[in-house]
Amino acid sequence: MMRLLLTIAAAATCALPQALAVAPSDTWRDADIGQSSYLGGGHNMDPAVVDSERFTQLWNASFGAAEKFYAKPLAYTPKSTGKQVVFLASTENIIRTLDAETGELVKERQVADPQPADVSYCTSVADNIGIIGTPTIDPETDIAYFYAKSYIPEFRLENQTTAVLNGVYYFFAVDINTLEDIEGFPIMVDGIPADNDPRKVFIGGTILQRPSLVQIGDTVFAGFGGLCDQFNYTGTILGVNIKSKKVVTNFATQSGPDSSFTLDWTAWHEGGAGGVWQSGMGLSSDGESLFFVTDNGDTSLNHTPPAPGTSQLDLLSESAVKLHVSPDGAVRLADYFQPHDYLEDGGLDLGSGGIALLPPHGFNTAKYPNLAAVAGKTGKIHILAQSDLGGYGNGPDGTDAAVQVIPPQPRPDGGSFSNGIYGAVGAYPLPNDDGEGPGGYIYAAAVAQEVVAYEFKEQGEDDNGEFEFVLAGKSVEKNLDRPGVGIPTITTAVDEETGAEKKDSGIVWLMDPEAGLRAWHAVPGDDGVLKSIELPSIEGTNKYQRPVFGNGRVYVIDARGVLVCLGTVE
Ligand SMILES: *[C@@H]1O[C@H](CO)[C@@H](O)[C@H](O)[C@H]1NC(C)=O
Ligand SMILES: *[C@@H]1O[C@H](CO)[C@@H](O)[C@H](O)[C@H]1NC(C)=O
Ligand SMILES: *[C@@H]1O[C@H](CO)[C@@H](O)[C@H](O)[C@H]1NC(C)=O
């Protein structure tokens, strides 16, 4: 109650323009918990305003030359102040809050020395590797959680300071108001044996925390994968219980006697790999289970299809994985999907994206109440049932038991990456044409392709529970012809009187490393064209980003690391 009063008071004083004068809104984690990228009407991004000259740059802020931002900004209104801040975390391990209205710096702190990238031959990421994964803020407590990479001189190697094996990860919990540590944090997560394979010791120096964090109950989960693909790493999920302040989960994606293992930390991929990087996309959850996708790892044990997804699989390579999470944060494998052609498609990994759990009110039938979408470097979009991901080769003739496989767009001449998807589809749930049943669109942004919209259509008259996503529209603009485009992210606006979502208010937003921020009206025209929305220009962006919304404003970081705030002034 307290929080509500304070935030309303804040809104009243900041003179929001009429069209955006609804309740304040925050983005305290990377998009929605299910990673559907549908953000709903709460941010009230009305196309009538966004697609007008009133929508402009409000302010911008620059930071250190060496700093890069892989972690997406967050916009959050702390309970104690009722004043919205933008929370940033950089590769230099510098965290900051800025006044969301003015861009003025509120607090700044370097939480630890970042590890130099050259020791791991990974300078393509940044000069130094600190915070990479997007933090998550707990709105109950005003605490932000994130992982920071650092090093301890002579930790494992005598007479050496920043060497790979002296690299460590810390799990931080900071008060968003002061940016000071919460008592009992940070926790050093280094040196911990995997729960499912104690030989495999978590060594922070050889691994990278890339996907956005997700909090499920009292446990914050993070995914780890390769550091420019070096060393003997294994893909790992760590879970920290924020009450007990302990690591409660260390799940290796490659475990057991059939998985690669070596004490030679320099051996390339000899730890099994199977990283969880997802182009930085967040781990997904339905509030109970944890979903993620693994990269290429050890050769599958699934030599002869079919294998049910509920069977144990130690080598979770190129797999969409569902872990059951117990209340204390411990996990066990519940289900998986592994494309039958994943080996043939060598180098065309599934793990370049995560899992989008599609909002059930738009995308469901009696037979499939909860759907998910997984894409990857092949450009195929696999539509899966959340309750039965499909295992390996359970379809006809040993093919996929996916509910639908949307084929990739034809590959244009040129780059081998063309038509690969990095991240996932974005979803826009809508009522169907009758205004009653489920419906809506999913959007894919493949390399070198147009943004493509597929419409959800129930099949047949007899309510048999079947459906199909059918091609409904494309943008005129094409995405960058190399990996780096982010995930299509969907906002709407609500009617102030009724609180209902305004018809045709959907906007698809997309960040492109060269084109910067782009947006389209989300419902394709009858001509099959996604009509673009003209926006203030943004000079490119880092790879795999998405815009962040709060209180009618949009936050993006451009290619030079400048934080830009867009919105309207009256
Ligand atoms: C930041 O704002 C200043 C002052 O309004 C403007 O001159 C500059 O072009 C802006 N920078 C970017 C990257 O938009
Ligand atoms: C570390 O330095 C000391 C002093 O120079 C030397 O005696 C020792 O051999 C060195 N250790 C290693 C592993 O190089
Ligand atoms: C990699 O090597 C280190 C150092 O010997 C070892 O502790 C770790 O368990 C190895 N990891 C894997 C996955 O092989």
Side-chain angles (χ1 to χ4, degrees):
M1 198 57 203
M2 188 65 172
R3 174 184 170 77
L4 196 66
L5 289 172
L6 283 166
T7 47
I8 286 170
T13 55
C14 77
L16 285 174
Q18 199 80 71
L20 299 174
V22 290
S25 76
D26 285 334
T27 296
W28 40 265
R29 47 154 301 140
D30 180 5
D32 58 312
I33 189 167
Q35 293 293 289
S36 75
S37 297
Y38 167 67
L39 306 182
H43 299 296
N44 209 32
M45 301 310 300
D46 194 330
V49 175
V50 176
D51 202 357
S52 79
E53 281 178 5
R54 291 168 54 206
F55 195 73
T56 58
Q57 181 175 144
L58 300 180
W59 52 261
N60 67 63
S62 309
F63 308 102
E67 283 184 89
K68 283 203 177 178
F69 296 87
Y70 287 86
K72 293 156 191 131
L74 298 175
Y76 182 66
T77 311
K79 285 203 258 300
S80 53
T81 62
K83 216 168 156 35
Q84 193 173 48
V85 292
V86 181
F87 178 62
L88 297 177
S90 79
T91 51
E92 292 291 309
N93 276 339
I94 297 174
I95 56 172
R96 295 182 178 87
T97 46
L98 284 80
D99 184 313
E101 255 185 85
T102 63
E104 270 165 57
L105 186 68
V106 179
K107 296 271 178 203
E108 178 178 56
R109 177 187 166 210
Q110 186 175 41
V111 298
D113 285 334
Q115 188 173 45
D118 56 359
V119 297
S120 44
Y121 320 107
C122 206
T123 49
S124 59
V125 174
D127 294 352
N128 294 304
I129 300 181
I131 304 162
I132 302 276
T134 304
T136 187
I137 299 172
D138 185 344
E140 299 290 319
T141 57
D142 285 0
I143 298 175
Y145 299 100
F146 56 89
Y147 281 86
K149 189 189 250 289
S150 188
Y151 61 89
I152 302 174
E154 310 211 44
F155 182 55
R156 286 201 171 89
L157 296 179
E158 215 186 325
N159 298 350
Q160 295 194 45
T161 48
T162 61
V164 172
L165 284 196
N166 293 338
V168 291
Y169 263 110
Y170 293 99
F171 176 80
F172 274 87
V174 301
D175 181 332
I176 200 78
N177 296 292
T178 61
L179 298 187
E180 294 303 320
D181 293 330
I182 301 298
E183 199 188 328
F185 296 96
I187 299 169
M188 190 170 94
V189 298
D190 198 82
I192 306 170
D195 304 331
N196 51 347
D197 192 337
R199 298 173 305 167
K200 301 198 171 184
V201 176
F202 184 97
I203 297 182
T206 61
I207 204 162
L208 185 69
Q209 200 289 298
R210 185 74 176 83
S212 311
L213 271 44
V214 63
Q215 180 175 353
I216 305 176
D218 288 335
T219 310
V220 175
F221 289 98
F224 294 80
L227 187 51
C228 294
D229 244 341
Q230 313 284 340
F231 316 123
N232 71 333
Y233 76 94
T234 297
T236 302
I237 300 288
L238 288 189
V240 172
N241 185 295
I242 55 178
K243 293 270 164 63
S244 69
K245 303 175 181 175
K246 288 199 165 69
V247 177
V248 287
T249 287
N250 177 359
F251 179 90
T253 67
Q254 316 283 310
S255 62
D258 296 306
S259 72
S260 301
F261 170 75
T262 172
L263 288 171
D264 175 5
W265 63 274
T266 65
W268 189 87
H269 263 221
E270 291 293 303
V276 185
W277 82 284
Q278 304 190 159
S279 301
M281 178 176 166
L283 309 181
S284 336
S285 177
D286 54 6
E288 291 175 356
S289 300
L290 181 69
F291 295 82
F292 59 90
V293 181
T294 59
D295 221 326
N296 58 324
D298 281 322
T299 302
S300 175
L301 295 171
N302 285 329
H303 300 301
T304 322
T310 48
S311 59
Q312 176 58 32
L313 181 61
D314 283 347
L315 306 182
L316 290 162
S317 307
E318 309 279 7
S319 302
V321 182
K322 177 179 181 179
L323 298 184
H324 175 268
V325 179
S326 11
D328 64 359
V331 301
R332 68 174 162 74
L333 180 61
D335 197 0
Y336 71 87
F337 167 72
Q338 190 175 45
H340 75 286
D341 54 356
Y342 84 99
L343 278 180
E344 295 164 31
D345 286 336
L348 292 176
D349 316 323
L350 194 66
S352 62
I355 305 184
L357 306 181
L358 304 183
H361 65 283
F363 309 96
N364 81 83
T365 67
K367 191 169 169 188
Y368 302 109
N370 292 286
L371 292 165
V374 178
K377 293 187 194 171
T378 61
K380 289 181 196 174
I381 302 167
H382 302 89
I383 306 294
L384 310 176
Q386 282 177 40
S387 58
D388 181 6
L389 293 179
Y392 173 73
N394 287 291
D397 302 322
T399 57
D400 295 336
V403 186
Q404 184 184 352
V405 180
I406 303 174
Q409 292 296 302
R411 180 174 290 197
D413 295 343
S416 58
F417 291 114
S418 303
N419 82 10
I421 296 175
Y422 290 72
V425 301
Y428 180 21
L430 277 172
N432 66 8
D433 293 341
D434 305 338
E436 283 162 16
Y441 300 87
I442 56 172
Y443 306 87
V447 173
Q449 301 280 344
E450 300 87 357
V451 175
V452 181
Y454 299 95
E455 189 175 5
F456 181 85
K457 296 248 190 214
E458 286 191 272
Q459 299 292 301
E461 299 295 309
D462 54 350
D463 224 0
N464 59 6
E466 301 302 332
F467 69 89
E468 198 178 357
F469 281 99
V470 293
L471 184 63
K474 286 185 184 190
S475 65
V476 171
E477 300 79 1
K478 286 196 173 182
N479 302 315
L480 184 64
D481 60 5
R482 57 177 194 276
V485 168
I487 303 170
T489 302
I490 294 84
T491 59
T492 59
V494 292
D495 184 298
E496 276 180 66
E497 312 253 288
T498 64
E501 204 163 270
K502 279 192 199 164
K503 195 171 171 346
D504 292 340
S505 66
I507 301 177
V508 184
W509 305 79
L510 186 69
M511 296 216 64
D512 181 296
E514 281 182 7
L517 181 63
R518 282 174 164 166
W520 296 267
H521 293 274
V523 175
D526 294 336
D527 56 357
V529 174
L530 283 168
K531 189 168 162 277
S532 66
I533 293 175
E534 204 173 316
L535 295 173
S537 131
I538 301 291
E539 303 288 312
T541 182
N542 201 353
K543 284 173 151 186
Y544 314 125
Q545 295 300 301
R546 69 164 111 227
V548 170
F549 303 88
N551 266 358
R553 291 181 287 259
V554 182
Y555 303 95
V556 293
I557 299 185
D558 77 9
R560 279 178 300 173
V562 179
L563 173 65
V564 179
C565 172
L566 305 178
T568 52
V569 273
E570 279 298 86

